[in-house]
Amino acid sequence: MEKREAQDPEYVRGAFARICKRYSLANHVLSMGTDILWRRKVGRLVAEHKPGRILDVATGTGDLALELQRSCPDAEVTGADFCEEMLELARDRGLKKSLVADGLELPFADNSFDAVTVAFGLRNMSDWKKGLQEMSRVVRPSGLVLVLDFSLPEGPLRRPYAFYLNRILPRVAGLLTGQRDAYDYLAGSVERFPSGGEMLDLLGEAGLHEQAWKPLTQGIASIYTGKGPEGQS
């Protein structure tokens, strides 16, 4: 697999702390509300597995964790993030259980959760494979691991989307948040992040099996799933 540039965790932490108060609003505006539909789809997919315990890694301001609370009302949903400022907003919005934790060093025992999710957060970790390995470690055997993130569409949409990503998105987000540099970073991180078959390979390398990939909105985002290692004890 092609070597990709890693993220700087201290820059990422600081960037999200600066934009946290308008992060969810900016996401909804920049995606024209489509990100809400993506999370609802994830909620339905997770609910099909009838999990008892769910961990949402890099939960941020809690958008996906809150959706999981709604779609899986009988499950215990825990949101983890390494940015306390983001978690404070998640709690204010109704997230019932949360803790400050680095996705590369999750403070949970092996096989602790029935489902582990991450939405738009794996891309911001300094080691994508290690992040997936941690998710694989804490999910129960054959439990669900799900990644929702941006991807690059193929075909005629690719060039106009790249223009939007690099030229339009940072300007609009800069106006909404006052932090254009954080969204210049976002655009670059999407282009560096593995997608499609490359992401499926990463899931396999992390020990997950039954890997699957579902493009969303003509490939602008994707859902990737895998099952926890059956041989865990």
Side-chain angles (χ1 to χ4, degrees), residues 103-118:
L104 301 183
E105 296 181 11
L106 294 171
F108 303 106
D110 297 355
N111 312 330
S112 293
F113 297 93
D114 302 300
V116 183
T117 61
V118 60

Side-chain angles (χ1 to χ4, degrees), residues 163-182:
F163 179 82
Y164 169 77
L165 192 65
N166 289 285
R167 301 295 182 86
I168 307 299
L169 182 149
R171 292 182 182 182
V172 175
L175 291 173
L176 287 170
T177 66
Q179 302 291 337
R180 173 168 174 168
D181 70 298

